[in-house]
Amino acid sequence: MVPLRGRSEELGKLLAALRAAGNGQASLAVVSGEPGIGKSALLAAAVEQAERQGFLVASAAAHQTDNISPLASLAPALRAGAEPLIDTDQFLELAALNTQPLWLAERLADLIGRRLAGVRALIVLDDAQWSDPLTAFVLRVAVDRLPAASVLWLLATRPSPGGPADQLIEAVSVPVHSIPLAPLTADAIQDLAADRLNHTVDPSLALQLAGVQGIPFLAEQLIAGLYLSGSDLSAGLIEGVRRRTSDLSETGRDLIRTAAVFGSEFRLEDVAALMAAPVARLAIPLEEAIQAGLLTDAGSVLRFRHELLRSAALADVPPSAQRALHGAIANQLMSAGRGAAAAAPHVLAVAQSGDTSAVATLREAARDLLSTMSITAAEVIQEAFDLTRVDDPLRAEVGVDVVSILLAAWQYDRAKAFADDLLSGTALYHGPITPDLQATLRLHLAPHRRLDVQELTLPGAAPHLAERLAAHRALAGADAPSAATDPIAQSLQQVAAAEAAQSEGRYADARDLYIAARQAEPGLGSLPPTLVEVGELYCRAESDDLSAALERARELMTAGSSWAAPQLAVLHARLEYASGNLQQAEGAAHAGLRWMDQLHDRSLAPAADQVLALVALLRGHLPQARKLAGSDPTISALLAIADGDAKAVKRLAATPQDFPERIGLLLQADALDELKRLSPSAASRGALAVVAAGNDVEQLAAAVEIVRTAQRPLLLAQAEERYGRAALESGDRKTGVPALERVLDSLTALGATAPAGRIQAVLQAAGVRRRRWAAVPPRAQEGWESLTPMERRVALLVAEGHTNRSAADELVVSASTVGTHLRAVFGKLGVNSRVQLTRLVLERFAPPPNA
């Protein structure tokens, strides 16, 4: 390989990152610089070094035409080499997920992670500024998902503020190495020229090389005769290319000029059709262009060796000829069946304001791209809108397309702002603003985020639109659902009724309403089907159908709309938690938080944090639960209980209706009245029976059997613990000990070490001996977590102002026992006075625990 000149420092940074990757430290390196500065050469040197060191190398380059094909930029890297990152079957599986970008990105990250297990890898993408949107999104997900992989992600890009590379740098948490490339020194340019010539540079050439301004690409073109120094960069390249093409045949020159209008990448058959020449006649002219150093044959397509060479060739095509050729190319691509999306760039090159034919083509292109390339579709439809005149009613029609496509691309804020501007009589649109236009735009927006009632009140709209608006007002809680004839309005009203039933705890009724709502064909104003099913599954889980609801939730994690990923993840986490699958619940909640970041919508973060806090509490990780609690009153109450504040149990009766496993909290609080108001299910009937039984062992035994049918292991553990304790207190060890041992084994298997430790202590106090107890984590040696439950209660009472005597009366122990516990508290917390203890407790709880 030809030596890399003048880049030893930059190459050293890349090699250091490679060494770190070999040691298991994933990172991202971004090489940036102007065209021709040597980015590709630096990447090639890094690839050569990686291959010498035994790295798996996957490499690809993005192209200007990638923007209309999903994953076009990254796919070659996935499939390259004898041992590709993704095999054929896996790649076909990914293709089926093109319409679900988040699921595709997650699946691809998982496949790459498995492929890289025990493997050192370098994954390269050149010309990243041209990455298709799906590639850019997948990279953001995959790089962040694989921080422990032995991989270096290496990108080269032109300076592009806010472009794919900048977005990637901002999104990832792995170390980032930014490597900007400056022009080479004069000595490095001289060395590069000597390498290409295989001899020293003569003085006349050295003088010419001084004019390339340190750009290695121009030095190479000067040596090849494609650049004339002594003038500005663009003029020198144009003159050099012009001189080289003068030696080509006339057909060869026509081929180069026509291809330059097509773009940096093109098909020979398209150029042949445009030139009205058989493909066979272009074989010799094509070989001439390749020998001249202008084109390279990539198999299915031809490419200019560099974008700067194409720009230089294009300079010899007069603007009028370029316009005519762009129009002919658009027609050629459409007639060849390539689709409006392929023709769109050429249509835009010639379209003028008011060109309705161009607008129609661009609208078709946007529709074609919408399912797989929604971001590109949004750009195309915006171009179509800009081509319409401000007073043309067509502008409103295209404006509706803009809103709907922006929403499909999950750009709600941009869609809302655009719709508001369109309807406000600004310079954006001067045509008639009819009630139907207003209603249509509002019905596009309403399913994504609920609008104000005023925005949904539009007198004069067509009857079916008016009914749908009224149904959305009912969803917003403003109006009672009224009779509707429109199927979509009826479906929306059913969802509104389902939400009302769910909020009242009538889960079976709500489930049936959600199911009915999903039967309507989707249309303008419909809620996303996946989100309606989320409500249905939650109600199914609360109606003795937890296992089936959980199974369906797992299916939707790859089969449902990936735009609904945060809602699906929170539902999945809650159902896994209800089923006692703590690790899976934790994983689903973390996935939801990650997807919220990727979709830039953290509105459901508190719901995910609830599940994580509940899992942390069961595992006895109180500091972690405290970090996650935020302002959640129920989690705060559970933390206070774990800290020894028995009075906080009463606060659990006010648990919000949709709190995960609310029934278990109501059972813990002995909230008889609240349990009576719950919709009848095995879980609620069993919990109610447990509370109503009090300490009656026989009634508790019957209540436990009811709870057992609910298949909720955490709730069953609560019920059986009460049963076991009541039996022990009544002197029935033969019943109590086995019951508590079953609870201990169940909680240990679930990983609920905090309640397991509590049960273990009860059994040990009852004299139960085991060869081997459950692996309950040892208590901390200092700090609040080191206190026993009794020591915590003493500390809390003293912080409230109790004396030893009054605390003893509260706890029904002697004052000397309180003193003993208090001395232990002082030692473990590192305080030596009641004042210091009170300050520490207030700082920890703020406000006081029993307020």
Side-chain angles (χ1 to χ4, degrees):
M1 183 175 177
V2 177
L4 183 68
R5 298 297 185 178
R7 300 296 187 201
S8 57
E9 181 180 349
E10 293 86 348
L11 182 58
K13 291 180 179 179
L14 289 181
L15 295 181
L18 266 179
R19 286 193 295 272
N23 293 326
Q25 174 59 69
S27 64
L28 167 68
V30 178
V31 177
S32 60
E34 298 296 337
I37 203 68
K39 301 184 293 295
S40 298
L42 181 59
L43 264 58
V47 166
E48 181 191 27
Q49 292 293 328
E51 288 175 337
R52 286 182 179 178
Q53 297 175 34
F55 276 68
L56 169 67
V57 175
S59 182
H63 301 96
Q64 287 175 304
T65 55
D66 288 356
N67 214 35
I68 63 171
S69 302
L71 214 61
S73 306
L74 188 61
L78 301 176
R79 301 287 296 128
E83 298 180 0
L85 286 172
I86 306 296
D87 65 31
T88 301
D89 290 341
Q90 292 168 339
F91 192 74
L92 292 175
E93 174 195 341
L94 292 174
L97 295 174
N98 278 346
T99 60
Q100 301 292 347
L102 189 54
W103 299 152
L104 185 148
E106 287 286 325
R107 178 61 176 152
L108 183 54
D110 180 58
L111 291 173
I112 293 175
R114 295 184 185 187
R115 176 67 179 85
L116 297 185
V119 175
R120 300 178 300 164
L122 172 66
I123 300 177
V124 181
L125 181 61
D126 201 357
D127 284 324
Q129 74 278 355
W130 287 326
S131 298
D132 66 274
L134 186 55
T135 286
F137 181 74
V138 164
L139 283 173
R140 293 198 295 272
V141 173
V143 174
D144 212 38
R145 275 284 310 277
L146 303 171
S150 298
V151 60
L152 172 62
W153 304 83
L154 175 56
L155 273 63
T157 181
R158 296 179 185 179
S160 177
D166 283 357
Q167 294 172 21
L168 181 58
I169 290 171
E170 185 177 347
V172 302
S173 55
V174 299
V176 176
H177 314 281
S178 294
I179 305 176
L181 298 188
L184 293 179
T185 64
D187 288 344
I189 288 289
Q190 298 282 331
D191 291 340
L192 183 151
D195 293 334
R196 301 300 185 272
L197 295 168
N198 280 325
H199 60 70
T200 58
V201 176
D202 62 60
S204 62
L205 179 57
L207 186 60
Q208 290 180 290
L209 287 169
V212 304
Q213 301 185 23
I215 299 177
F217 170 78
L218 294 181
E220 293 181 350
Q221 303 315 306
L222 187 148
I223 295 167
L226 288 169
Y227 178 70
L228 299 180
S229 64
S231 57
D232 65 77
L233 300 185
S234 59
L237 193 58
I238 291 168
E239 288 302 318
V241 170
R242 186 175 293 158
R243 186 175 69 173
R244 176 58 65 89
T245 55
S246 66
D247 296 333
L248 304 182
S249 64
E250 183 177 351
T251 306
R253 291 194 296 274
D254 287 345
L255 170 64
I256 289 295
R257 296 189 187 109
T258 305
V261 179
F262 256 102
S264 58
E265 180 179 282
F266 59 94
R267 297 186 186 186
L268 183 60
E269 57 267 35
D270 288 334
V271 173
L274 207 62
M275 294 174 64
V279 172
R281 274 191 56 199
L282 297 183
I284 294 176
L286 174 61
E287 184 60 28
E288 292 174 356
I290 293 173
Q291 292 299 321
L294 294 170
L295 300 180
T296 181
D297 192 338
S300 60
V301 295
L302 296 161
R303 297 189 182 114
F304 278 87
R305 285 192 176 274
H306 199 282
E307 176 60 20
L308 291 175
L309 292 177
R310 185 186 81 89
S311 299
L314 191 61
D316 268 353
V317 185
S320 58
Q322 289 188 36
R323 289 182 57 80
L325 280 170
H326 277 300
I329 290 169
N331 292 333
Q332 159 63 21
L333 293 173
M334 293 286 285
S335 63
R338 302 286 171 72
H346 302 285
V347 171
L348 286 169
V350 297
Q352 295 180 328
S353 178
D355 186 340
T356 56
S357 176
V359 170
T361 301
L362 294 175
R363 292 177 76 183
E364 182 182 346
R367 287 191 293 270
D368 290 347
L369 290 165
L370 184 57
S371 63
T372 57
M373 300 285 283
S374 58
I375 294 175
T376 301
E379 295 170 358
V380 171
I381 197 63
Q382 184 68 60
E383 297 278 8
F385 178 82
D386 293 340
L387 286 174
T388 59
R389 294 194 175 98
V390 295
D391 57 350
D392 187 344
L394 178 63
R395 192 172 180 86
E397 188 179 324
V398 181
V400 172
D401 288 349
V402 172
V403 171
S404 65
I405 290 175
L406 285 173
L407 291 169
W410 214 248
Q411 298 184 40
Y412 177 84
D413 292 338
R414 186 176 163 193
K416 178 70 162 60
F418 182 91
D420 289 345
D421 285 346
L422 196 67
L423 297 175
S424 62
T426 63
L428 197 63
Y429 176 53
H430 291 165
I433 299 174
T434 65
D436 281 3
L437 173 61
Q438 297 179 67
T440 299
L441 287 170
R442 297 307 179 201
L443 287 171
H444 273 297
L445 293 165
H448 295 266
R449 289 187 197 168
R450 296 192 177 171
L451 302 178
D452 294 336
V453 174
Q454 294 83 351
E455 295 178 289
L456 296 168
T457 306
L458 298 169
H464 70 289
L465 299 178
E467 286 189 351
R468 296 179 195 184
L469 289 169
H472 274 287
R473 291 198 297 272
L475 275 170
D479 297 339
S482 56
T485 59
D486 177 73
I488 290 176
Q490 291 173 346
S491 173
L492 292 168
Q493 289 177 350
Q494 287 165 333
V495 173
E499 291 182 352
Q502 184 176 339
S503 69
E504 296 168 6
R506 295 185 289 111
Y507 296 112
D509 293 340
R511 173 201 61 204
D512 294 341
L513 286 163
Y514 280 127
I515 291 172
R518 289 204 296 119
Q519 305 311 307
E521 287 293 323
L524 176 64
S526 296
L527 295 176
T530 300
L531 294 187
V532 178
E533 191 169 5
V534 165
E536 175 197 330
L537 292 177
Y538 183 80
C539 294
R540 283 175 62 184
E542 295 297 322
S543 306
D544 292 336
D545 202 9
L546 174 59
S547 58
L550 176 57
E551 186 62 29
R552 178 57 179 161
R554 290 170 176 167
E555 289 176 7
L556 287 174
M557 298 305 288
T558 54
S561 170
S562 65
W563 295 120
Q567 291 89 342
L568 289 170
V570 169
L571 170 73
H572 184 204
R574 285 183 167 191
L575 299 188
E576 294 283 11
Y577 180 81
S579 301
N581 305 323
L582 302 189
Q583 185 172 350
Q584 291 89 332
E586 184 180 43
H590 279 304
L593 291 169
R594 184 172 68 247
W595 295 336
M596 291 174 211
D597 288 337
Q598 288 159 2
L599 297 176
H600 307 294
D601 182 1
R602 289 188 59 85
S603 57
L604 287 174
D609 285 341
Q610 275 182 345
V611 176
L612 292 173
L614 289 170
V615 172
L617 282 163
L618 286 175
R619 291 174 175 167
H621 301 162
L622 299 189
Q624 181 183 354
R626 208 174 303 282
K627 290 178 183 177
L628 294 163
S631 58
D632 190 314
T634 304
I635 300 296
S636 298
L638 290 170
L639 281 165
I641 295 167
D643 281 334
D645 179 11
K647 297 178 182 178
V649 172
K650 295 180 181 178
R651 303 211 295 269
L652 298 181
T655 305
Q657 186 75 40
D658 65 343
F659 197 88
E661 282 304 88
R662 179 176 185 241
I663 293 174
L665 299 182
L666 295 179
L667 189 159
Q668 186 176 351
D670 285 329
L672 192 64
D673 292 338
E674 285 76 9
L675 285 169
K676 288 179 179 178
R677 286 194 283 267
L678 291 179
S679 178
S681 66
S684 62
R685 286 186 289 105
L688 177 61
V690 169
V691 174
N695 290 323
D696 187 303
V697 177
E698 288 187 8
Q699 291 185 31
L700 282 171
V704 166
E705 292 311 308
I706 299 174
V707 175
R708 197 181 306 280
T709 64
Q711 297 182 335
R712 297 186 181 228
L714 293 172
L715 185 65
L716 178 60
Q718 279 184 272
E720 200 155 20
E721 179 184 353
R722 288 207 180 195
Y723 170 51
R725 283 176 180 264
L728 275 183
E729 289 171 5
S730 69
D732 184 358
R733 288 178 56 85
K734 289 184 178 180
T735 299
V737 169
L740 291 176
E741 287 186 320
R742 285 194 299 272
V743 175
L744 176 60
D745 292 340
S746 173
L747 292 173
T748 303
L750 295 174
T753 53
R758 182 180 68 240
I759 303 300
Q760 180 174 306
V762 173
L763 287 169
Q764 288 172 331
V768 175
R769 298 291 178 263
R770 280 188 171 189
R771 180 177 299 177
R772 189 173 182 180
W773 287 98
V776 177
R779 188 182 301 279
Q781 298 302 305
E782 58 184 22
W784 189 266
E785 279 68 35
S786 68
L787 303 184
T788 66
M790 181 59 79
E791 289 167 353
R792 292 181 185 183
R793 294 183 67 186
V794 168
L796 294 171
L797 289 170
V798 169
E800 290 178 345
H802 281 275
T803 63
N804 284 15
R805 173 58 62 188
S806 63
D809 293 342
E810 184 83 14
L811 297 172
V812 195
V813 295
S814 67
S816 62
T817 299
V818 169
T820 299
H821 287 309
L822 188 58
R823 285 192 294 275
V825 168
F826 282 5
K828 291 179 180 180
L829 298 184
V831 299
N832 52 31
S833 71
R834 290 173 179 265
V835 173
Q836 290 178 343
L837 174 61
T838 301
R839 185 180 297 117
L840 187 149
V841 170
L842 291 177
E843 287 174 356
R844 181 177 183 82
F845 285 95
N850 294 326

